[in-house]
Amino acid sequence: MLALLDAWLLAPFEYGFMRRAVVAGLALSLAAPPLGVFLMLRGMSLIGDAMAHAILPGVALGFLMAGFSLPMMSLGGVLSGLLIAVLAGSVSQMTGHREDSAMASFFLISLAAGVMLVSLGGSSVDLTHVLFGSILAVNGTALILIAGIASLIVVALAVIFRALVVECLDPLFLRGQGVHGSLVHGVFLGLVVLNLTAGFQTLGTLMAVGLMMLPATTARFWSQRLEGLIGIAVVLAMIASTGGLLLSYHFSLPSGPAIILLAGLAYVLSALFGRHHSLTARLRRRAAPLAATDSP
């Protein structure tokens, strides 16, 4: 039994590429889920997906200028994501349209522009790498960059945590304390862009948002407290990233989709059997009044 566990759980990490991949996955698992929890609480779950597409043109430009240079591609992704966020906010203020509508329009434009740029400058293999990533190909430079960005996000979230919570619940109170909600909102969106930029190397621009949102939405079925949501989401992301890597290694599966599908499986099971708001929880609530009526 111990030999079997060793072969399945420990032996794969004797290889350097697996160790680098799991460290990158754990770093992203610390930084991404708390952002996803706040996006969910603010009713902005799909904004994360929009921002994931918004970084694509910048990543593509960095790729065209310097090839697979992670620093250049990351810088391009950050600048592109911030530009799209500013443009969407500006259009929303000038026209009165909802910010999510403006963001959806810009992310479609960004996706098309990014795919066009990568296709013009490289092969289909290059496009696949940018869109879907390859966590098993993470090298030392990429690992340092990912860990650095994840650490920056965690520290920044700790600094603005209270303001962010208040801005979610009562923006008018925050304004009364002399803090502009738009500033907190802007910093938060900047952290989302940074997270997605760190994640594109491992999961690609199309799936980097999965590790941010799926654990966060899954945690909603198990806790109703903010601290619980964040803690459960982080643990679920760590399990999904590590488990997905092991499944990828043992069954020759693509690593990124394996990680996201494992997180998706956790979501489906939680929707069925979770403690709060799940199908099982609803059935229990419906059965309780009937049991009380039948009791003498």
Side-chain angles (χ1 to χ4, degrees):
M1 184 65 179
L2 291 177
L4 182 63
L5 290 175
D6 179 75
W8 275 86
L9 300 180
L10 300 180
F13 298 110
E14 294 177 359
Y15 298 98
F17 71 91
M18 284 292 289
R19 290 196 297 270
R20 290 190 294 271
V22 76
V23 171
L26 292 176
L28 290 173
S29 298
L30 281 173
L35 294 173
V37 168
F38 280 109
L39 284 171
M40 177 183 65
L41 294 178
R42 294 156 69 96
M44 298 171 61
S45 297
L46 293 179
I47 294 294
D49 188 54
M51 296 306 297
H53 294 80
I55 71 172
L56 184 55
V59 171
L61 283 175
F63 167 72
L64 291 178
M65 294 174 62
F68 283 114
S69 170
L70 186 59
M72 282 296 295
M73 294 169 73
S74 299
L75 178 61
V78 170
L79 294 177
S80 175
L82 293 177
L83 176 62
I84 295 300
V86 170
L87 287 175
S90 300
V91 169
S92 177
Q93 290 182 355
M94 289 187 296
T95 64
H97 288 178
R98 288 172 55 91
E99 186 176 12
D100 57 347
S101 300
M103 187 70 74
S105 301
F106 277 109
F107 100 71
L108 291 171
I109 297 170
S110 301
L111 177 61
V115 172
M116 180 67 72
L117 286 171
V118 177
S119 300
L120 289 175
S123 66
S124 59
V125 176
D126 299 329
L127 178 60
T128 301
H129 183 87
V130 172
L131 292 178
F132 301 106
S134 179
I135 193 170
L136 296 179
V138 170
N139 56 25
T141 302
L143 185 58
I144 291 173
L145 185 61
I146 291 169
I149 292 177
S151 300
L152 176 62
I153 291 172
V154 171
V155 172
L157 270 179
V159 171
I160 68 168
F161 184 81
R162 296 184 67 178
L164 193 58
V165 172
V166 175
E167 200 262 338
C168 288
L169 300 177
D170 193 350
L172 294 178
F173 175 79
L174 186 66
R175 190 178 305 171
Q177 300 299 309
V179 180
H180 293 290
S182 58
L183 176 62
V184 177
H185 182 68
V187 172
F188 176 70
L189 285 182
L191 295 179
V192 172
V193 171
L194 279 175
N195 175 74
L196 294 172
T197 303
F200 91 86
Q201 169 70 9
T202 56
L203 300 172
T205 57
L206 294 185
M207 285 190 290
V209 71
L211 200 62
M212 182 167 62
M213 293 310 308
L214 279 172
T217 54
T218 303
R220 192 69 181 267
F221 294 110
W222 298 101
S223 179
Q224 294 181 318
R225 295 179 59 85
L226 179 58
E227 300 86 348
L229 290 173
I230 293 175
I232 292 172
V234 168
V235 171
L236 288 172
M238 288 181 171
I239 293 173
S241 60
T242 305
L245 283 172
L246 291 172
L247 290 174
S248 171
Y249 177 85
H250 289 295
F251 298 104
S252 300
L253 300 173
S255 52
I259 291 171
I260 301 306
L261 285 175
L262 194 58
L265 177 62
Y267 174 82
V268 172
L269 292 176
S270 297
L272 292 174
F273 305 110
R275 184 178 179 185
H276 305 288
H277 311 296
S278 67
L279 177 62
T280 303
R282 288 177 179 270
L283 293 177
R284 284 198 302 264
R285 285 199 301 271
R286 291 178 181 177
L290 295 178
T293 302
D294 293 340
S295 62

